[in-house]
Amino acid sequence: MKKFLSLVVSLIILSNVTSAKEGMWLPMLLKSLNEGDMQSMGLKLSADDIYSINQSSLKDAIVSFGGFCTGEIISDKGLILTNHHCGYGQIQSHSSVENDYLTNGYWAMNHSQELKNPGLTATFIVRMEDVTAKILEGIDSELKESERQGEIRKRINNLVEETTKDSDYGAYIRPFFYGNEYYMFVTETFNDVRLVGAPPSAIGKFGGDTDNWMWPRHTGDFSLFRIYADKDNKPAEYSEDNVPYTPKHYLPISMSGIKKGDFTMVYGFPGRTQEYLTSYAIQQIKEVINPDQIAIRAKALKIMDKHMKASDKVRIQYASKYARISNYWKKWIGENGGLQKANAISLKQDRETAFLKATKGMKEYEGLLNEIEKRYLAIEKYALARSYFVEIPYRKMEMLRLANRFTSIINQTKKGEEIDEKTWTALKEKVALHLKNFDLNLDLEISAALIESYKEGMAPEFVPSIIKSKATSLKFYKLYTAKSVFVSEDKINGLLNNWSKGKAKKVEKDPVYKLMKQFWNLYAKEVRPAYNAISNEIDSLSKIYVKGLRENVPGTYYPDANSTLRLAYGQVDDYEPRDGVQYDYFTNTEGILEKYDSENVDFNLPGRLVELIEKKDFGKYADEDGSLHVCFTASNHTTGGNSGSPVINGNGELIGLNFDRNWEGTMSDINYDIDQCRNISVDIRYVLFVVDKYANAGHLVDEMKLVKTVAPVKVAMEK
């Protein structure tokens, strides 16, 4: 009976692995792994229609937007659709108090009004290739891990160089399944990407931080850009002679609407997931790392909010920074709640039990999980110290970040080396960006508050001596930094003029620079080496663990996200977040008016939008019942980097724009739950309504290919 019950438990675990429509799949493997399953759910296309190197396919309409989001081509003139929050930095860079595009939106009425964005890129995937054999074959199994990794890096570099030689393409190779497999991605990158349109933040960020990671949602989270190319349709640096790019494929736009159960795909560049973490890792994240990260960001956000509300200038300067900090602060809160609700630690322990039973007697896996547990116990204090360093001096203390940018030229100057023009130009650009988006009083207050958090949360050996014995306060930090060159715009700019050894020595004695060096040196000497060493050991053990799972525990396994092109598929679906609460799968404009509050910055609305909604002036974008849908949920497995990804129906048509996940499902990066995890998308018809009816930019809609599938007429049969 015990053996029978054990078998039942194992089968339940395995059925959860194989039946859930989870995963971020490599497009080149869809034909062998997923095509039949996808078609049974409603896909009308073939795997070759989604990914092909011999003909145009859906992949040719998907771009990595700036390396941090996804975008899709929606016209034959290179028009890119992505999220408002993905284009937020560019919208902010063009904004000022006089031309506040964040508040008012921006719409180019012709190509000449489209705004350039230095440094912004759009990257296509030309092809993928399994290069596992080329990277791993013949490597001596007796090599030390460091030597083995060195040989792998050498082979990767050689293969990339060989692949891109005498071509305009780029390439990169990524490990999959902790290094059990390797795939190469050949790319084509365009550097002239211009801002075309963006709704006001009251539409693009409607709901703000209150609604972030939440459902129901009513956010028009989109912006429009355009790729420009040279006269031969090839990548080129910005030039007035460049012309709109002609894509190999662009997505037609469905006007048919959606219903529950409809097949959906999300195609994009998900950033990072860790689905094969052990229970020891999940417990450390949930109980040690996340709570402190949440507390640090909450403190910073409160101070930023106070200063931003007091000044429009500061509001514009810090809008993008605030959004970035708030985003993962709330995500971590939801992640912890989701892990608790899903009993994630227990589920991981069940999988580990199945692994132990399946590999019993196999020497390769003997004691493996015990060794992994030991490493997590050893790494905990270093993982926490790393988190504190990244969250406080590295990311939140802006004067320290700027001071660190001078380190390389100081070292070069001390060695008597000539500093090249490219280095100077890059430094000047970073200094200019810092000064444009910097408020001294805000930075002083955040820094003082977070230094206190650092001292309270860290072991004494990780705390810089400058602050260790001081009773930290805002008054202390102001006095300490008062004579620093980094508190004065004129003095900072003065450093860049007639740079000399004398100036280098002066900066080294600067109080802000000295504090920065203590933080960085402590991290470099006391934290990073130990963290990296143990982390590498964990990765090596995890490689064996995942290999053992795939070979001995039946199931369908997909690789973790690593910023490479992936496809997730699922269905339009509602969900029940907790007992007695049932959420529908879509929202409409009635909900926008219900949330509307002119006194609340998160829920204020432009008067024109209110008027259009009240008059139900939705034009051809209304649903069959006359309402205008705004957002919808589906069961696609997504993560950061999928922001801006297209949501595509079974016909290969665009139905929505992915921009978020539900709060209960944010734990999907490490534990996907089919009942709780939902991606949130803005309905493409609401996007078009805003462009056309609200912004009067119908010329952009005219570029697109709008399609509507007419449902077959049902004829009643005579009895």
Side-chain angles (χ1 to χ4, degrees):
M1 178 60 71
K2 286 182 179 179
K3 288 183 178 180
F4 173 75
L5 290 174
S6 176
L7 177 61
V8 170
V9 170
S10 296
L11 288 173
I12 291 173
I13 292 170
L14 295 183
S15 69
N16 287 336
V17 172
T18 58
S19 66
K21 303 304 179 186
E22 65 177 290
M24 299 172 182
W25 302 92
L26 278 168
M28 66 176 288
L29 300 179
L30 292 178
K31 182 176 285 293
S32 60
L33 294 178
N34 312 92
E35 185 180 54
D37 186 38
M38 294 167 71
Q39 290 174 343
S40 72
M41 293 174 63
L43 176 68
K44 307 301 182 187
L45 309 178
S46 69
D48 287 336
D49 293 324
I50 296 171
Y51 172 86
S52 176
I53 60 175
N54 298 315
Q55 63 188 39
S56 66
S57 59
L58 292 184
K59 82 163 172 64
D60 299 312
I62 313 301
V63 297
S64 173
F65 184 81
F68 48 83
C69 278
T70 301
E72 53 272 7
I73 309 298
I74 57 171
S75 86
D76 61 0
K77 296 180 177 64
L79 191 64
I80 296 177
L81 177 65
T82 190
N83 286 152
H84 184 269
H85 75 260
C86 292
Y88 202 71
Q90 283 69 42
I91 302 165
Q92 182 208 24
S93 70
H94 294 295
S95 297
S96 63
V97 174
E98 294 76 25
N99 294 300
D100 189 351
Y101 300 141
L102 288 175
T103 298
N104 303 319
Y106 179 80
W107 305 96
M109 293 302 165
N110 53 59
H111 291 337
S112 67
Q113 293 180 357
E114 295 175 357
L115 305 175
K116 66 178 180 178
N117 300 283
L120 180 62
T121 59
T123 299
F124 293 89
I125 299 299
V126 177
R127 64 180 175 87
M128 306 175 191
E129 181 183 345
D130 183 350
V131 294
T132 305
K134 294 178 182 178
I135 300 302
L136 297 181
E137 197 171 78
I139 292 182
D140 188 348
S141 60
E142 300 299 318
L143 285 177
K144 293 180 181 178
E145 184 61 23
S146 60
E147 295 172 340
R148 183 177 180 278
Q149 289 302 320
E151 177 61 24
I152 287 173
R153 283 192 296 271
K154 180 181 176 181
R155 293 186 181 191
I156 286 174
N157 292 337
N158 290 341
L159 186 52
V160 166
E161 184 178 351
E162 176 187 324
T163 301
T164 58
K165 186 178 180 182
D166 299 324
S167 81
D168 295 325
Y169 292 150
Y172 55 85
I173 295 172
R174 296 282 186 271
F176 289 74
F177 295 113
Y178 289 90
N180 283 295
E181 296 176 9
Y182 286 82
Y183 289 82
M184 179 167 66
F185 299 79
V186 179
T187 62
E188 184 174 38
T189 297
F190 289 79
N191 300 310
D192 187 354
V193 182
R194 305 183 194 180
L195 174 63
V196 175
S201 292
I203 293 175
K205 284 190 66 180
F206 183 75
D209 296 303
T210 305
D211 274 3
N212 189 25
W213 301 107
M214 306 298 284
W215 183 258
R217 203 64 171 276
H218 301 83
T219 313
D221 193 350
F222 77 94
S223 58
L224 293 164
F225 291 76
R226 193 185 305 280
I227 298 175
Y228 279 75
D230 65 15
K231 60 183 177 60
D232 297 317
N233 208 40
K234 297 295 184 182
E237 296 300 322
Y238 172 83
S239 169
E240 292 184 3
D241 295 328
N242 287 347
V243 295
Y245 169 68
T246 302
K248 296 175 184 176
H249 183 78
Y250 63 94
L251 298 179
I253 294 175
S254 172
M255 298 292 284
S256 303
I258 59 169
K259 63 182 184 298
K260 183 177 177 180
D262 281 354
F263 175 80
T264 56
M265 300 181 283
V266 171
Y267 212 170
F269 293 85
R272 187 172 186 237
T273 58
Q274 296 174 286
E275 299 295 337
Y276 303 105
L277 289 178
T278 59
S279 59
Y280 324 119
I282 303 293
Q283 187 165 6
Q284 189 172 99
I285 290 168
K286 179 177 177 290
E287 298 176 5
V288 180
I289 305 299
N290 278 357
D292 282 23
Q293 290 182 148
I294 291 166
I296 289 167
R297 291 202 174 195
K299 186 178 285 190
L301 288 167
K302 184 176 181 181
I303 295 169
M304 292 175 75
D305 182 64
K306 179 181 75 173
H307 286 265
M308 290 169 71
K309 285 179 177 176
S311 165
D312 279 343
K313 180 183 178 184
V314 175
R315 174 182 58 80
I316 293 171
Q317 287 176 318
Y318 281 80
S320 183
K321 298 174 189 176
Y322 187 96
R324 286 198 302 270
I325 294 169
S326 174
N327 191 37
Y328 262 64
W329 165 73
K330 196 165 185 178
K331 190 261 187 184
W332 289 325
I333 295 172
E335 181 176 81
N336 267 18
L339 291 172
Q340 181 68 31
K341 180 177 174 61
N343 295 315
I345 295 173
S346 178
L347 288 174
K348 298 294 183 182
Q349 289 170 339
D350 288 343
R351 184 164 68 182
E352 289 154 14
T353 298
F355 170 82
L356 289 171
K357 290 180 179 178
T359 60
K360 187 176 181 180
M362 298 182 185
K363 189 173 182 180
E364 181 179 5
Y365 306 112
E366 189 176 338
L368 178 64
L369 288 174
N370 288 335
E371 291 301 316
I372 292 175
E373 181 181 19
K374 288 178 185 177
R375 299 311 189 281
Y376 274 104
L377 290 171
I379 205 172
E380 186 169 297
K381 75 171 185 177
Y382 300 108
L384 193 62
R386 178 178 180 271
S387 175
Y388 268 75
F389 173 79
V390 170
E391 285 296 317
I392 297 178
Y394 184 73
R395 285 186 175 159
K396 307 297 188 302
M397 299 175 70
E398 294 186 271
M399 282 194 289
L400 266 64
R401 290 197 71 186
L402 180 62
N404 184 51
R405 297 195 185 282
F406 283 82
T407 300
S408 62
I409 65 166
I410 287 173
N411 292 337
Q412 285 179 269
T413 302
K414 288 167 64 176
K415 294 176 182 177
E417 298 175 358
E418 187 74 23
I419 302 172
D420 62 82
E421 187 62 30
K422 185 178 180 181
T423 300
W424 273 117
T425 300
L427 179 59
K428 287 176 181 178
E429 288 176 352
K430 289 171 182 175
V431 168
L433 185 62
H434 166 87
L435 293 173
K436 179 185 177 183
N437 296 319
F438 176 74
D439 181 80
L440 177 61
N441 290 326
L442 188 156
D443 188 58
L444 287 170
E445 188 170 349
I446 281 185
S447 298
L450 295 189
I451 285 174
E452 193 64 42
S453 296
Y454 194 95
K455 289 171 62 177
E456 291 174 358
M458 282 293 87
E461 62 265 31
F462 300 141
V463 179
S465 61
I466 290 173
I467 61 173
K468 184 180 290 187
S469 60
K470 300 290 190 301
T472 311
S473 66
L474 178 57
K475 182 179 179 181
F476 158 76
Y477 194 66
K478 280 184 175 179
L479 287 172
Y480 177 77
T481 60
K483 294 182 180 180
S484 171
V485 67
F486 295 104
V487 302
S488 166
E489 181 174 345
D490 289 340
K491 290 180 179 179
I492 294 170
N493 285 325
L495 282 178
L496 301 175
N497 296 322
N498 301 315
W499 179 258
S500 64
K501 284 188 176 182
K503 285 188 175 181
K505 290 180 180 179
K506 182 179 179 181
V507 173
E508 285 190 299
K509 295 178 181 178
D510 185 276
V512 168
Y513 189 84
K514 287 169 67 176
L515 180 58
M516 180 277 296
K517 290 299 289 184
Q518 282 203 6
F519 269 117
W520 264 249
N521 287 340
L522 275 171
Y523 176 72
K525 295 177 181 178
E526 304 298 330
V527 179
R528 185 171 59 195
Y531 176 85
N532 286 346
I534 302 171
S535 183
N536 288 338
E537 291 174 5
I538 290 173
D539 285 347
S540 296
L541 294 170
S542 297
K543 177 184 176 183
I544 301 170
Y545 176 55
V546 171
K547 175 177 176 287
L549 281 173
R550 295 174 73 198
E551 292 181 355
N552 299 287
V553 181
T556 302
Y557 294 93
Y558 56 91
D560 278 323
N562 56 4
S563 296
T564 57
L565 185 62
R566 304 294 182 87
L567 185 136
Y569 61 97
Q571 294 173 308
V572 174
D573 206 356
D574 52 22
Y575 74 105
E576 184 179 328
R578 51 194 175 276
D579 183 47
V581 177
Q582 181 70 40
Y583 283 144
D584 209 344
Y585 66 89
F586 72 94
T587 60
N588 60 38
T589 51
E590 290 181 11
I592 293 180
L593 295 186
E594 289 170 355
K595 289 181 176 180
Y596 174 37
D597 181 356
S598 61
E599 300 300 316
N600 186 333
V601 66
D602 283 351
F603 297 104
N604 197 5
L605 286 171
R608 176 166 172 74
L609 182 66
V610 174
E611 181 182 352
L612 287 168
I613 294 174
E614 288 179 339
K615 291 182 177 180
K616 298 188 182 300
D617 187 4
F618 305 139
K620 60 186 176 183
Y621 309 111
D623 202 60
E624 291 179 353
D625 62 3
S627 69
L628 178 62
H629 288 201
V630 180
C631 297
F632 65 92
T633 56
S635 58
N636 301 286
H637 192 173
T638 62
T639 188
N642 275 130
S643 289
S645 293
V647 185
I648 305 169
N649 66 15
N651 298 319
E653 301 158 353
L654 184 65
I655 59 173
L657 182 63
N658 186 80
F659 71 91
D660 208 352
R661 284 173 283 170
N662 61 325
W663 209 27
E664 299 82 5
T666 52
M667 48 87 177
S668 62
D669 289 349
I670 51 183
N671 186 77
Y672 181 88
D673 183 338
I674 189 67
D675 294 323
Q676 292 297 309
C677 296
R678 296 289 180 267
N679 66 301
I680 301 174
S681 307
V682 57
D683 193 303
I684 192 62
R685 295 168 299 171
Y686 182 66
V687 171
L688 299 184
F689 160 78
V690 172
V691 173
D692 188 358
K693 303 289 288 184
Y694 171 82
N696 293 317
H699 62 286
L700 296 173
V701 178
D702 292 341
E703 285 188 36
M704 308 171 198
K705 181 181 179 181
L706 309 187
V707 296
K708 187 164 186 175
T709 303
V710 179
V713 177
K714 294 182 179 179
V715 180
M717 300 293 290
E718 290 186 10
K719 294 183 179 178

